[in-house]
Amino acid sequence: MSRARTLKVGIVGLGRLGRRHAENLMSRVAGAELVAACSPLPAELEWARDTLQVPHLYADYGALLAHDGLDAVFLVTPTSLHPQQIIQALQAGKHVFCEKPLSLDLEDCRRVSAEAARHPQLKVMIGFVRRFDASYQDAYKKIQQGAIGAPFMVYSQTCDQYDPDGFFVKFAATSGGIFLDCSVHDIDLARWLLGNPRAVRVYAGGTRAIHQDLQQFQDVDNGVAICEFDNGKIATFYASRTMAHGHDTMTEITGTAGRLTVGSNPRKNRVEIADVHGVRNECLPSFFERFEDAFLTEVSTFVDAIRREQKLELTLDDATEATRIGIALRESLLSGQAVLL
Ligand code: NAI
């Protein structure tokens, strides 16, 4: 492929996050052209036609893959569909961006890696968006430059604002539970920031602070975990669905010569309100406002890597390890025991 050629891309899934990716791909990503969209829901295809003027619409994924001249697909579909849809795309000769997590099943992760190995000319990237956030990138660079000496411990949390309509309770039936759905971001970050180690032992616990109905899915609305790695480093994770104040995602990396903290004040912007209640900031409402720029950088990185034939730093192996650890955390939560990996 000529380096200058614009990539023709198709998006699959136009739900909560798919629409955001579609909007970015339509107008904000240099070198990519959104030519097709796929969803089983007619209303979502109408949205793509009416709002973004996407020229080709498909209710069937196989038909989208057969679209003439398509270079890459963006899968923003339910997690249970990811492995099979990635494999189908690779077999159709398409580059693949797929939302996190890669899968809830380790065997499926390995099937995807095996298929990807058969198509070394095609790129596959799983959307661990936080790696592409400017503050996390800066923290990573500082660690590489030795700013905190040898990093040995990460604390990382993903805490969503409480949503009283409880959509995540229904979502729990297919999400894999709080660790595979939320902490998977923190797991990926911890490995990235601590030199890509593998987990050797995990322990997890949790509570249903508000949503007792999560019991039917053996899930919790607040979970904590400890993860020990094969390079002797450790991480602790906290995930919550019930934050009163807003979306509160933060990470702290401790090293032998200092500490870095990313996002300790989850403020919406730089406006400070001083009144009879005191001095305060408004909080970010959701992950999207927090990572809006990172979602764009992530997709641009993927598109550039294809166009310039560059290696992607974030690999399928990373995504598989994140799932492996997430599964172990769930096992530990359910058994009440530490899990050796
Ligand atoms: P959603 O339920 O809002 O959207 C799913 C979409 O997939 C819908 O448009 C649905 O019509 C479509 N779909 C369902 N079956 C399909 C099929 N057979 N073929 C084509 N399309 C199909 O879900 P949401 O929240 O947008 O999540 C999608 C993925 O994105 C999940 O894997 C989730 O884990 C991930 N996600 C990642 C986030 C991040 O921070 N990176 C944040 C939110 C979600």
Side-chain angles (χ1 to χ4, degrees):
M1 181 193 313
S2 132
R3 283 174 182 225
R5 189 160 82 74
T6 297
L7 283 189
K8 290 193 190 313
V9 304
I11 188 147
V12 188
L14 295 164
R16 191 167 61 129
L17 188 55
R19 287 177 188 221
R20 305 292 199 158
H21 279 304
E23 284 164 349
N24 279 343
L25 285 164
M26 187 44 105
S27 54
R28 298 176 71 196
V29 179
E33 185 187 357
L34 183 60
V35 296
C38 170
S39 165
L41 302 181
E44 293 186 346
L45 292 179
E46 277 164 33
W47 174 86
R49 184 194 61 207
D50 298 344
T51 315
L52 298 181
Q53 287 79 49
V54 179
H56 300 280
L57 305 174
Y58 297 97
D60 175 62
Y61 179 51
L64 173 120
L65 288 176
H67 181 88
D68 195 27
L70 196 72
D71 296 301
V73 291
F74 282 73
L75 301 174
V76 200
T77 49
T79 299
S80 56
L81 301 179
H82 292 172
Q84 192 51 34
Q85 288 185 329
I86 297 173
I87 289 171
Q88 278 177 262
L90 289 169
Q91 289 174 346
K94 311 301 170 200
H95 301 282
V96 187
F97 173 92
C98 177
E99 262 309 327
K100 53 57 60 177
L102 166 55
S103 174
L104 305 177
D105 180 276
L106 206 50
E107 249 336 285
D108 277 346
C109 292
R110 294 183 178 132
R111 282 197 311 124
V112 170
S113 294
E115 192 62 42
R118 290 195 254 305
H119 308 274
Q121 78 287 6
L122 297 175
K123 307 244 182 256
V124 187
M125 190 173 101
I126 306 303
F128 286 108
V129 65
R130 282 209 227 160
R131 288 194 187 206
F132 300 92
D133 173 73
S135 300
Y136 280 103
Q137 290 263 336
D138 187 37
Y140 179 80
K141 269 190 216 124
K142 285 185 165 53
I143 292 169
Q144 302 308 304
Q145 290 159 358
I148 57 166
F152 60 85
M153 183 167 74
V154 164
Y155 166 80
S156 196
Q157 69 177 45
T158 300
C159 295
D160 284 331
Q161 185 168 28
Y162 179 56
D163 177 354
D165 83 10
F167 98 95
F168 63 85
V169 176
K170 280 172 258 136
F171 190 56
T174 54
S175 70
I178 199 163
F179 295 119
L180 275 158
D181 185 40
C182 298
S183 302
V184 76
H185 283 294
D186 305 290
I187 294 168
D188 180 64
L189 276 181
R191 292 191 60 250
W192 180 52
L193 297 166
L194 293 175
N196 292 322
R198 289 184 184 270
V200 289
R201 186 165 70 146
V202 301
Y203 179 70
T207 183
R208 286 179 275 275
I210 296 181
H211 273 283
Q212 303 309 321
D213 39 359
L214 280 168
Q215 189 163 10
Q216 64 189 300
F217 303 113
Q218 298 182 295
D219 201 6
V220 293
D221 56 21
N222 283 264
V224 292
I226 300 173
C227 178
E228 295 168 345
F229 292 111
D230 61 0
N231 60 359
K233 303 186 180 195
I234 52 174
T236 54
F237 307 123
Y238 171 39
S240 174
R241 311 275 196 191
T242 63
M243 286 291 108
H245 56 289
H247 178 79
D248 192 346
T249 280
M250 66 87 80
T251 302
E252 189 175 80
I253 311 104
T254 308
T256 50
R259 186 185 70 201
L260 299 173
T261 309
V262 179
S264 62
N265 179 349
R267 63 187 184 190
K268 183 174 151 191
N269 55 31
R270 291 180 173 76
V271 176
E272 205 169 75
I273 305 165
D275 60 13
V276 293
H277 302 295
V279 182
R280 66 190 189 283
N281 305 111
E282 287 178 326
C283 188
L284 287 159
S286 82
F287 71 88
F288 193 77
E289 287 76 12
R290 169 64 183 87
F291 292 109
E292 186 167 2
D293 292 342
F295 278 111
L296 185 59
T297 306
E298 160 188 79
V299 171
S300 298
T301 303
F302 175 71
V303 166
D304 283 352
I306 297 169
R307 296 179 76 227
R308 295 177 192 176
E309 295 175 24
Q310 289 166 347
K311 202 161 171 257
L312 287 163
E313 196 191 331
L314 173 49
T315 65
L316 276 177
D317 191 46
D318 292 326
T320 299
E321 181 63 6
T323 288
R324 193 175 79 101
I325 297 172
I327 291 170
L329 293 181
R330 185 169 166 81
E331 260 176 55
S332 177
L333 174 74
L334 297 182
S335 69
Q337 305 293 318
V339 172
L340 297 175
L341 288 108

